[in-house]
Amino acid sequence: MPSLSNSDELIFFVNGRKVIEKNADPEVYLLFYLRKILHLTGTKYGCGSGGCGACTLMVSRYDPKTKKIHHYPVTACLVPICSLYGAAVTTVEGVGSIKTRIHPVQERLAKCHGTQCGFCSPGMVMSIYTLLRNHPEPTPEQITEALGGNLCRCTGYRPIVESGKTFCAESTVCQMKGSGKCCMDKEEKSFTSGQEKMCTKLYNEDEFQPFDPTQEPIFPPELIRMAEDPKKRRLTFRGKRTTWITPVNLNDLLELKTRFPEAPIIMGNTAVGPSIKFRDEFHPVFISPLGLQELYFVNSTDDGVTIGAGYSLAQLNDALHFIVSEQPKEKTKTYHALLKHLRTLAGAQIRNMATLGGHVVSRPNYSDLNPILAAGKATINLISKEGKRQIPLDGRFLEKSPEANLKSEETVLSVYIPHSTQWHFVSGLRIAQRQENAFAIVNAGMSVKFEDGTDTIKELQMFYGSVGPTVVSASKTCQQLIGRQWNDQMLSDACRLVLDEIYIPPDAEGGMVEYRRTLIISLLFKFYLKVRRGLNKMDSHKFPDIPEKFVSALEDFPIETPQGIQMFQCVDPHQPLQDPVGHPVMHQSAIKHTTGEAVFVDDMPPISQELFLAVVTSTRAHAKIILIDTSAALALPGVVDVITAEDVPGENNYQGEIFYAQNEVICVGQIVCTVAADTYAHAKEAAKKVKIVYEDLEPRIITIEQALEHNSFLSAEKKIEQGDVEQAFKNVDQIIEGKVHVEGQEHFYMETQTILAVPQEEDKEMVLHVGTQFQTHVQEYVAAALNIPRNRVACHTKRAGGAFGGKVSKPALLGAVTAVAANKTGRPIRFILERGDDMLITAGRHPLLGKYKIGFMNNGVIKAADIEYYINGGCTPDESELVMEFMVLRSENAYYIPNFRCRGRPCKTNLPSNTAFRGFGFPQAIVVGEAYITAVASQCNLTPEQVKEINMYKRTSRTAHKQTFNPEPLRRCWEECLEKSSFSARKLAAEEFNKKNCWKKRGLAVVPMKFTVGMPTTFYNQAAALVHIYLDGSVLVSHGGCELGQGLHTKMIQVASRELNIPESYIHLSETNTTTVPNATFTAGSMGADINGKAVQNACQILKASLQPVIRKNPKGKWEEWISEAYEESISLSATGYFKGYQTNMDWKKGEGDAFPYFVYGASCSEVEVDCLTGAHKLLRTDIFMDAAFSINPAVDIGQIEGAFVQGMGFYTTEELKYSPEGVLYSRGPDDYKIPTVTEIPEEFNVTLVRSRNPIAIYSSKGLGEAGMFLGSSVLFAIYDAMAAARRERGLTKTFTLSSPATPELIRMTCVDQFTDMIPRDDPSTFTPWSIHVS
């Protein structure tokens, strides 16, 4: 450690209170400090890399130069506390609280139903709140932009945006169908559809408290005095291993840089921070010139602008907007290009943290700005003790040539960007997995200068990002083209030359090699067109314009603020006012979600002597364990113990699930051992020191194809069959066969798997606080691992931060692992999985290989279908057999095929075991059905919608597994969807658009759905509840269902309120635990409200019946009077409610049975626009019609439908899991796994609940938790419709293989054209690819 003076005091404010940290450690981040030191747990851990926004908060600083206060959003997980000297931090607790008063932002997010699980809500609140502190009347665009760095997995974003839009100046709700009347107005609140009145208002704005921007907390005056103190001095903070130095002025900075030339300069910490966290980089000294006046300035001259290196990218954005507004257009082409990329670069938080100097100098190979700066001929102004110098920001600098580098003692002072000139064109181009907050797959900065008045190239520059280890300059190509004219011949030579010059090897890191090669020339073509257009605008006589059909290729998709209408049935006017059933009641915890006061497992205060657990996972897919050496780990400070398979007192391999690997490992990510230590940092450090020696074993099976070769399966085949399939194939006009690959999906619940296990002093009792969907399972596994009866294990679940199936079976395994550690150490264990470990260990949705053979007539009638499903189950049984049963049972979807056979088998591979996921196999399986419908349509020259209509169930029928059902609600959803979405007219408009546009294509698709609820086994459908009435008349409800964000507890309160005829305010629901309701089934299969609602209803009815004698005596009495009278008459005020379960059965030997209690029907229509040159797509509109029967809570049900749809849309488009050929998962966080953001959702998003009857269920409702997931496939098939249009135009009519997800790569490479034909291709047998598909 360098010898430096002792540590200074770190002074900053949090929520108006002064914090003085005497021992500030540079390695401590603000998120940890808030949660563990200050015990402010509203700010959440979601990913640790700044990519999800769960830890967003506001930082405010005073600028003594401008005398202004600057508020900006940051992600606390990347902010070192030492960077906060003199700053004021505002967390969600400082914005408002239930205990004091809630802020309008918090209230409106809750009342607009913008929270479900509530884990992302504090981050959402802080993003909107910070925006309002800077712009009290924001525009809708600003709301959308502010939320771009915040991920939500539950809601689908629409209600979150809507809550933000209530602060906008002008009315932002839609003008209903162009009538100019607003669908949200009171008198317009309902309109009649058929017999029923339909409502469109899910909340009442009159309830909102007014927003008064003058009432916000003041900036601490002490911080102003500190900032203006003329006697400021250098600050030094010394930690255990590192030192942080904040220089007092520029000379001091240069002094430090000379003294510590290797020390990184830290401003936003967005580059160094992740390297330290995820790549184990270590720096003994940090120099942080944050706030150093000399680095913050803008200087404009006649030929350009110089911007200080300390400017954040957000400040750069504001500065460039100002310059663009002041200067003539021809001078600002470089600035326009930069502004376009600044809008989508990362999210608002990162743009406010990252600095221009840091971005330029760190030279990431994916940089969106550096290629443009280089193309615009920017220069970097450097300074050191030796003096100042300038270096060009050019190819040599970006390619990290030694002679073009900074000297170690130099630092960046500013960046100079020259104005563009009249005959000079500059462009930035990029394509990423999703539109914003995603690293580019390929980006480029290009510029061309012509001899004045001509199209003869004088200078040409092309820089590409993400095509190699650094940004790459195509300098040789540019050199060879000088003097050429800007025409088609030059373009084709340029494409050939640039492909020769920039070579991406076939096994390049990041994969997508052929796609990236294609993008190199596709982006060049876009630039070529832009310049042609620009020349024509300057002199239309001299320079011909580009063809009209090419014009749409010039523009990127705009980012629009989403809007839409939600329609549901109005409540019967005769229903008692107090009865909440059927009303859009706000989620029971919504206000707590938005104030950060909802307690999740890791928010629970520390327990005396608790330890933290870190995992050591296998790095091999299939290997023998030769040795586990824990000596180095045990020697580290704070480490209490290392736990291995030897320490499991009971069963370590229970029902095929292995808690700790023993003797061999069977996948990468299997838990080998865990380390228990006094802090998580110590446990993690020690886990890295555990040495494991492996010996690889054969075979290593990763993909479904490999499993089929090795005959490796987890269970026997499941099959259903009707009619005579073989005979039918002999009597049809045509037969087609095909294969469909559907890749997997990561749950990406915002709260990672979290368990707190507390061993009790007596009787070997173990208490677990766990975010789970299936407490009984956790209890069972823990009891088995500890070899104790289940009555000694108590599980408590207050709420889970999202689950989606990922918390059905996995918490049982992780609970057992934790309990074994707690048992061995005798101390409480807190086990919080990091996002990367969670994604690696717990896996997700099963990848599917589907094969079909279809026999049909020329008129589109399908006579025979033979379907085979194979899923990648992973290395242990988990839920794979059940998932396959569901896939087979639901395989026909909405279509009647008289001769139908479906067979399926789960494959055993050396991947982590895949598990339950919303929709439970249906979203994968039915893609196969929709694919063969589309293929049949293509063969018969019909539209897919016509073939769907021809083959859809029309009257009461039996399914392929012989269950009778009435498809009338299916027909209604389908017909209303086609009619109300104006499908036919829009389809014609899309065809017209496609004729006029060569490089952009539109596509539409409508998908119908027949989904199922519940389980084919009756005992899985049972439920119990316990209802207590206390002497003051208050009621406590407990039931066996878990609150995951789906509003289950809210609906249960509505049920109890109706049944007991008392207001909801009398009823409380605290938590789910195994001590009050034993043996509860899982909260899954869309049946949480169905079965627990029946149990709560039963308990309330028992209580109501026992109160009857008292009520009869005093019919006019109050509820409270009745209760005290009942108590005085010794009437029990507690009741257990029970629901035996829906009577279902399935006989797999016969392949028939009434497998499900009822069906849920729906239809969805989506329209997309696709960019054929890049593979980007934009979702323009979605209309969903869902058969909700009677909705107990339309707000909750519509929230479930929208959230599931967006999750499904992600599954079918942007979400792509990448594995190495050795079975290593690469996608382990938001940086490399892209769930939808607010910009991906439909620009227009309409949802209608269609009324039907469902007498079997409580209040004739239906379970809607999962059904919306598959409707996301309407986006996939709309993309396929657009791609088919592109292929037809290029003369390719053949049906093409359909696979999911439709990533930009798949879209671009399917839209074959001269550019895809031009790229070099490699023989697959000559190299090992970086990543593979496992379906």
Side-chain angles (χ1 to χ4, degrees), residues 611-780:
L611 299 173
F612 292 82
L613 208 60
V615 278
V616 178
T617 55
S618 161
T619 54
R620 306 290 174 87
H622 190 197
K624 198 166 155 190
I625 299 173
I626 305 296
L627 167 78
I628 303 176
D629 178 359
T630 61
S631 53
L634 288 165
L636 288 177
V639 175
V640 172
D641 214 336
V642 176
I643 299 94
T644 67
E646 312 296 312
D647 300 311
V648 181
E651 292 187 53
N652 184 44
N653 180 334
Y654 183 67
Q655 297 177 347
E657 304 301 323
I658 300 156
F659 302 148
Y660 286 92
Q662 205 163 6
N663 306 327
E664 73 165 340
V665 290
I666 49 177
C667 70
V668 174
Q670 185 176 5
I671 295 172
V672 179
C673 59
T674 55
V675 179
D678 60 349
T679 67
Y680 182 67
H682 283 150
K684 192 178 173 185
E685 204 46 50
K688 291 176 193 163
K689 295 279 188 283
V690 173
K691 191 177 165 219
I692 304 171
V693 179
Y694 298 104
E695 185 184 291
D696 282 329
L697 295 171
E698 288 297 322
R700 181 178 66 205
I701 300 170
I702 308 300
T703 67
I704 292 177
E705 305 279 6
Q706 291 166 349
L708 296 179
E709 277 168 41
H710 286 92
N711 213 15
S712 174
F713 298 104
L714 285 163
S715 63
E717 181 179 273
K718 297 288 185 241
K719 180 172 123 179
I720 57 169
E721 189 165 1
Q722 71 177 3
D724 186 338
V725 177
E726 302 308 331
Q727 189 53 43
F729 276 125
K730 294 175 185 160
N731 302 318
V732 292
D733 293 340
Q734 296 187 55
I735 293 176
I736 50 169
E737 297 188 47
K739 261 187 196 181
V740 178
H741 289 270
V742 182
E743 293 303 315
Q745 184 180 21
E746 159 60 33
H747 299 93
F748 215 95
Y749 27 66
M750 293 305 293
E751 177 199 36
T752 59
Q753 301 273 355
T754 312
I755 294 157
L756 179 58
V758 189
Q760 304 300 295
E761 296 295 321
E762 301 175 34
D763 303 323
K764 295 187 176 174
E765 286 182 350
M766 184 68 70
V767 173
L768 292 104
H769 297 274
V770 53
T772 180
Q773 296 173 253
F774 195 6
Q775 289 188 335
T776 305
H777 204 46
V778 179
Q779 183 187 39
E780 175 188 3

Side-chain angles (χ1 to χ4, degrees), residues 693-965:
V693 179
Y694 298 104
E695 185 184 291
D696 282 329
L697 295 171
E698 288 297 322
R700 181 178 66 205
I701 300 170
I702 308 300
T703 67
I704 292 177
E705 305 279 6
Q706 291 166 349
L708 296 179
E709 277 168 41
H710 286 92
N711 213 15
S712 174
F713 298 104
L714 285 163
S715 63
E717 181 179 273
K718 297 288 185 241
K719 180 172 123 179
I720 57 169
E721 189 165 1
Q722 71 177 3
D724 186 338
V725 177
E726 302 308 331
Q727 189 53 43
F729 276 125
K730 294 175 185 160
N731 302 318
V732 292
D733 293 340
Q734 296 187 55
I735 293 176
I736 50 169
E737 297 188 47
K739 261 187 196 181
V740 178
H741 289 270
V742 182
E743 293 303 315
Q745 184 180 21
E746 159 60 33
H747 299 93
F748 215 95
Y749 27 66
M750 293 305 293
E751 177 199 36
T752 59
Q753 301 273 355
T754 312
I755 294 157
L756 179 58
V758 189
Q760 304 300 295
E761 296 295 321
E762 301 175 34
D763 303 323
K764 295 187 176 174
E765 286 182 350
M766 184 68 70
V767 173
L768 292 104
H769 297 274
V770 53
T772 180
Q773 296 173 253
F774 195 6
Q775 289 188 335
T776 305
H777 204 46
V778 179
Q779 183 187 39
E780 175 188 3
Y781 274 48
V782 169
L786 298 182
N787 195 20
I788 54 175
R790 292 195 202 181
N791 62 5
R792 310 294 163 85
V793 181
C795 293
H796 297 262
T797 302
K798 187 103 180 155
R799 58 176 61 82
F804 317 115
K807 294 178 182 174
V808 176
S809 63
K810 298 299 180 182
L813 179 106
L814 297 167
V817 164
T818 315
V820 167
N823 178 67
K824 186 183 182 191
T825 58
R827 290 165 67 172
I829 296 275
R830 195 177 286 255
F831 186 25
I832 316 295
L833 276 184
E834 281 190 42
R835 177 64 63 188
D837 288 335
D838 188 298
M839 290 181 73
L840 177 68
I841 294 166
T842 66
R845 188 183 292 283
H846 291 77
L848 164 78
L849 167 59
K851 299 179 179 183
Y852 61 79
K853 180 181 175 187
I854 307 296
F856 56 99
M857 310 310 283
N858 291 334
N859 62 3
V861 175
I862 300 175
K863 294 287 194 187
D866 191 1
I867 317 294
E868 286 176 74
Y869 290 143
Y870 298 100
I871 56 174
N872 195 326
C875 58
T876 64
D878 202 286
E879 304 275 1
S880 295
E881 183 171 8
L882 198 55
V883 168
M884 185 47 82
E885 288 185 10
F886 271 64
M887 289 173 110
V888 170
L889 288 170
R890 296 158 161 180
S891 53
E892 60 175 17
N893 192 17
Y895 310 112
Y896 171 66
I897 300 174
N899 304 286
F900 183 86
R901 173 166 63 217
C902 181
R903 295 166 287 184
R905 241 182 137 175
C907 298
K908 184 177 184 177
T909 61
N910 295 113
L911 288 179
S913 284
N914 286 307
T915 188
F917 199 140
R918 195 179 207 163
F920 212 65
F922 187 82
Q924 303 98 297
I926 304 309
V927 169
V928 180
E930 293 297 308
Y932 61 67
I933 292 276
T934 306
V936 168
S938 170
Q939 295 297 112
C940 300
N941 289 326
L942 296 167
T943 66
E945 287 66 35
Q946 287 170 319
V947 176
K948 290 172 192 189
E949 176 66 50
I950 290 165
N951 292 287
M952 202 178 295
Y953 278 106
K954 310 259 190 326
R955 60 195 67 80
T956 300
S957 315
R958 292 171 82 193
T959 65
H961 57 82
K962 315 284 188 287
Q963 179 166 351
T964 304
F965 74 104

